[in-house]
Structures are given as structure tokens and as C-alpha cells.
Amino acid sequence: MKNKRFLIFSLLFGALLVLGACSEDKKETTETDMNGKEFLMISGDTVSEQGGCVLASRYSAGDKLVFRMNALDSRTNEQVKDANLKVHLSTGEELDMVYGTHGDEDFWVVAYPVTAETPTGSLEYYVTGEAGDLKGEFRPFNVAPSLLSIVDVDGEAATEPEEEPDEEEVDLSKVETNQNVDVHAVNFEFAGPKGEKVFYVKAGEEVKVSLTSDEGMHGLAIEDTDINIKDANGEAKFTPEKPGEYKIYCSVFCGAGHSDMTAKLVVVE
Ligand SMILES: [Cu+2]
């Protein structure tokens, strides 16, 4: 009887310790340095973007899983801001992490949207980092609270991811282009001065992209280009060469709706 009580007590106490350890961004690193050399100490956790970044290990379609990592120089215990961190998933996908300010702290994040196509079951991951000669790796503890699993919503067939409403066919030869891409950001949306979500530009001519954060702090990046404005208000220029559709997305983690912040750049001939 006593033993049983003691067991329950230890389990509860253990759970509290775990919760306590998880409630803050900082975690003790588990890395050890084998060779006495300098290295990157990478550590972090995973949170659910729904409901504002709560620690979670079970995700279902519609959730967004956010990886958060620190990468400290073993000599100075300071963040190595120019480090490149990558999340490797057991699905074979690799996600590049982005360094930024979140609340009072600076660290790396990347979001992984879970969709109906994401295979259910356990999702393993590890994180690698590199900054010049410094290298490091983070592997989560191989215990249940640290392992990620993808589950069906209440055992039902996972819901379809939200599809963008079908766009009307646009005759690209007649479309009006504007090489000034003026994007305003609010929580959590990008739009042009007329509320537009699609920006048409001509290929081969310089484009000026400007970002104005009317609410919140956002960044703006364009897929497959070098454009990545990380200041809440800033601009950048580039000359698109290849006609096509390019996703515009927020490159500064800004909160619950971060990964919904998208728009589209259409480059026409
Ligand atoms: Cu954002």
C-alpha cells in the first residue's frame, strides 16, 4: 500500500518536473563534447501553433507543428546568429529554420503544417546546425513526451486541408502588371493597397518589393528568390527572370497565424 502511494507520488512529481521543464523556452542541453572542441549546442522543443504555442507532442491534420531551437557556441554560450539549422523529419523532408525574435528571446523556428496527407504514426526528427567550423546536432529524448506523433482527428478520417478557393482564369497576356509590389501586413494577412492577394509583375524588369507592417512584426520572403525582408518595414529589389507563380510568405515568426500569411507573386512574360 505504502509502495503504491509512493509510486503515485513519484509519478505525479515526475510529471510536474517534466511540465516545469517544458514550460520555458530554455532547456538544459544534453549535448556533450566528445573531443574538447568548440561546437554548436543545439536544443529546443516543439510547440503547437494552435492556441498560441503550447507544448505538444500529438498533432493532427490542421495543426501546425513549430520547432524551436537554440544554437549556442560552446565557448561563449551565446547564440550563433549566422548558424544554419535544419530539421530532418522521418518523412524525408528537411526544413530550414529561421532565426528571429520571439517575445523576449531570439532563436530559430520553423513551422510544419500537418495535413491530411501527413502519414499518421510517429514522426521522428533531429536537428543539425552549422556555422563555419562549428557543428552540432540535437536529437530529442527517446521517451514518450519527447516523441512526436501524428494522429487522426478523433479517429475519423482526417479532414481535407483547406483549399484555396478556385481562382478565376486570368488571361496573363492582358493582366495589368505593377513593378512596385506594395505589401501591407497585419495579423495574420498580407494584402496590397486594394486588398489584393495576387501581385502581377513583368519578367526581365526590376521589381521593388516593399513591406509595411501595419500590425505586428512580420517579414516577407518570396519563394525561389533572394527576397527576404526581415525588417517589419523594409524594401528589396530584384529582377524576376522566369515567368510563373511564386509564393509570398512571412519570414518572421509572428504568432498563431504565421503560416497563414501568404500571398502570390505572378511573373508574366
Ligand atoms: Cu509571420
Side-chain angles (χ1 to χ4, degrees), residues 83-239:
N84 290 311
L85 268 63
K86 209 174 254 204
V87 177
H88 305 256
L89 297 175
S90 50
T91 57
E93 288 161 286
E94 293 185 351
L95 315 171
D96 287 317
M97 302 193 79
V98 178
Y99 187 72
T101 303
H102 311 282
D104 298 333
E105 293 196 59
D106 292 343
F107 50 90
W108 281 260
V109 295
V110 68
Y112 181 69
V114 178
T115 68
E117 276 76 51
T118 311
T120 53
S122 69
L123 178 69
E124 287 167 39
Y125 77 97
Y126 65 96
V127 180
T128 55
E130 253 188 77
D133 295 341
L134 295 179
K135 281 197 173 68
E137 196 172 295
F138 172 75
R139 288 182 188 265
F141 288 122
N142 194 23
V143 292
S146 297
L147 295 176
L148 304 179
S149 52
I150 307 295
V151 295
D152 282 347
V153 184
D154 302 327
E156 291 165 28
T159 46
E160 284 292 307
E162 271 178 56
E163 288 285 327
E164 299 278 306
D166 274 345
E167 288 156 35
E168 310 124 58
E169 280 291 310
V170 176
D171 185 350
L172 291 179
S173 64
K174 293 202 182 107
V175 92
E176 213 178 291
T177 60
N178 184 349
Q179 304 304 101
N180 281 317
V181 175
D182 181 13
V183 184
H184 288 251
V186 295
N187 293 338
F188 296 95
E189 229 175 303
F190 281 132
K194 292 177 206 142
E196 62 268 43
K197 301 269 182 191
V198 184
F199 300 85
Y200 296 96
V201 298
K202 230 180 257 151
E205 286 179 27
E206 190 176 68
V207 170
K208 187 175 102 183
V209 185
S210 47
L211 169 67
T212 312
S213 292
D214 293 325
E215 179 194 18
M217 301 282 281
H218 306 280
L220 185 157
I222 305 177
E223 204 173 55
D224 297 331
T225 73
D226 294 333
I227 298 292
N228 189 353
I229 303 170
K230 289 195 175 171
D231 294 324
N233 298 291
E235 56 180 60
K237 288 176 181 164
F238 80 116
T239 304

